[in-house]
Amino acid sequence: MVNLKSGVGRNWGWASAGSSILAEFGTLHLEFVHLSYLTGNPVYYNKVMHIRKLLQKMDRPNGLYPNYLNPRTGRWGQHHTSVGGLGDSFYEYLLKAWLVSDRTDVDARKMYDDAIEAIEKHLVRKSNGGLTFIGEWKNGHLERKMGHLTCFAGGMLALGADGSPGDKAGHYLQLGAEIAHTCHESYDRTVLKLGPEAFKFDGGAEAVAVRQNEKYYILRPEVIETYWYMWRYTHDPKYRLWGWEAAQAIEKYCRVSGGFSGVKDVYSSAPVYDDVQQSFFLAETLKYLYLLFSSEDLLPLDNWVFNTEAHPLPVLRLANSTFPWNHVAR
């Protein structure tokens, strides 16, 4: 958190033990690069590149980026790694920094590829029932749990498949499809056909929430987001079918007189509302549903990159640009 008047930054100590969170300081690339493009002032670009270069030099446990970094010592906090909450959009923005630069930002692509290789080696597993999931690394061991937020990774893997090192494009597209399937199962195994906040792969639990405080659905977009990317890259009609299932469930169980509400237990046939319509429901969930059923010429991915809140930013054709920092970006 930064006081815009004083310029002083402060993190809530109770939330992160005084550390900065990877998804927060690592999720600035697109907006700051675009700001430098619009203003012709390289200062914004230089700020995010400074952060990235520091991260690039740091040792990483098992090649993974922990979720916490102490801004005073410059060292990682607790070695907790997640592709879901606290870490998600950092990985997304490494890939999208490369895409928005018209594929000229090769350092971002290299960091993304290295991170995905480490994630696949240490976090991606297959359950006893054959479901591929992305776990969380905590205290030296893998927690066999996947958050709803992590479900965006299926779409990210599909988006990043083209340009993968070696001959791995097909591999990553398939991995994205497997993640999409697992996340659909987390929806399909509930009473309301809406996905829980987190789901386990322990013992007899397969893609289902175990704890009461993980059984809620707050209109999150990540699964729909992955359906859309998978549809754009494969045109498999099941993704539109799955999206329509979710749309119908949202309409049936989340619509209230004033809009749409989250529900507290997706396994209950008599859902209790939380009386909150999250901002990302309009910005992301409904937008991705709309795009899922739209034609390919609406916001084609060759020309547009979506930031983590689903706002489209144009690909910057840097080779043809004359703004001052072009020589740095290339």
Side-chain angles (χ1 to χ4, degrees):
M1 180 176 292
V2 178
N3 184 313
L4 296 180
K5 184 175 181 180
S6 67
V8 174
R10 182 173 290 119
N11 295 298
W12 296 109
W14 55 263
S16 60
S19 291
S20 297
I21 296 171
L22 180 66
E24 293 181 345
F25 65 78
T27 310
L28 303 168
H29 286 66
L30 300 188
E31 293 82 1
F32 275 46
V33 166
H34 193 69
L35 195 54
S36 279
Y37 170 72
L38 292 175
T39 63
N41 187 342
V43 64
Y44 311 107
Y45 171 86
N46 290 336
K47 293 289 186 185
V48 290
M49 289 305 113
H50 178 66
I51 293 172
R52 197 172 82 190
K53 285 173 183 174
L54 289 176
L55 291 175
Q56 198 171 11
K57 293 176 184 175
M58 292 181 68
D59 289 331
R60 297 181 295 280
N62 293 322
L64 300 169
Y65 291 87
N67 289 337
Y68 301 103
L69 181 71
N70 190 306
R72 290 178 295 279
T73 66
R75 297 193 178 111
W76 299 115
Q78 56 177 295
H79 288 179
H80 171 212
T81 297
S82 168
V83 184
L86 305 178
D88 47 9
S89 45
F90 167 68
Y91 305 102
E92 175 188 359
Y93 269 32
L94 291 176
L95 172 63
K96 290 181 175 179
W98 174 71
L99 290 169
V100 87
S101 74
D102 199 19
R103 305 190 176 203
T104 61
D105 188 347
V106 292
D107 283 346
R109 178 75 213 204
K110 177 68 163 57
M111 289 176 72
Y112 170 79
D113 289 331
D114 289 348
I116 293 301
E117 185 177 342
I119 287 166
E120 185 170 13
K121 182 177 181 180
H122 296 288
L123 303 184
V124 174
R125 295 290 184 271
K126 197 170 285 274
S127 73
N128 293 334
L131 296 176
T132 302
F133 68 94
I134 305 175
E136 297 187 11
W137 190 262
K138 281 187 178 179
N139 303 318
H141 75 279
L142 184 72
E143 187 173 7
R144 296 172 66 86
K145 178 178 82 170
M146 188 168 173
H148 193 291
L149 286 164
T150 315
C151 285
F152 91 96
M156 177 180 72
L157 290 164
L159 182 63
D162 183 30
S164 296
D167 191 25
K168 300 194 78 172
H171 168 74
Y172 285 121
L173 190 61
Q174 175 60 29
L175 183 57
E178 291 177 17
I179 296 298
H181 172 68
T182 297
C183 293
H184 175 257
E185 286 298 306
S186 78
Y187 274 53
D188 203 45
R189 298 181 187 196
T190 70
V191 172
L192 305 186
K193 305 302 180 186
L194 293 169
E197 182 68 4
F199 41 96
K200 295 286 186 70
F201 298 89
D202 273 333
E206 289 271 336
V208 295
V210 175
R211 297 179 180 177
Q212 188 61 41
N213 65 357
E214 294 175 339
K215 295 181 178 181
Y216 61 91
Y217 172 71
I218 54 172
L219 306 170
R220 286 204 187 277
E222 289 77 17
V223 174
I224 312 295
E225 176 183 358
T226 277
Y227 292 166
W228 175 60
Y229 280 113
M230 292 306 304
W231 164 254
R232 281 283 176 105
Y233 286 109
T234 70
H235 294 106
D236 188 327
K238 72 183 178 186
Y239 296 114
R240 281 185 163 175
L241 174 63
W242 291 352
W244 183 236
E245 289 173 358
Q248 288 179 302
I250 290 169
E251 173 70 20
K252 184 173 181 179
Y253 295 112
C254 299
R255 181 184 275 281
V256 293
S257 60
F260 290 82
S261 169
V263 293
K264 295 183 179 180
D265 188 345
V266 292
Y267 301 97
S268 170
S269 57
V272 176
Y273 298 121
D274 66 9
D275 293 329
V276 177
Q277 180 175 294
Q278 304 285 346
S279 60
F280 51 69
F281 177 65
L282 299 178
E284 299 182 69
T285 310
L286 293 185
K287 186 183 295 178
Y288 283 127
L289 276 171
Y290 182 83
L291 288 168
L292 179 60
F293 295 98
S294 298
S295 64
E296 303 289 300
D297 58 1
L298 179 62
L299 297 171
L301 292 173
D302 288 342
N303 298 328
W304 298 92
V305 176
F306 286 73
N307 79 350
T308 195
E309 305 299 337
H311 304 310
L313 295 171
V315 171
L316 303 178
R317 309 297 180 188
L318 299 179
N320 300 321
S321 180
T322 57
F323 52 88
W325 53 281
N326 187 32
H327 67 284
V328 181
R330 290 162 68 189

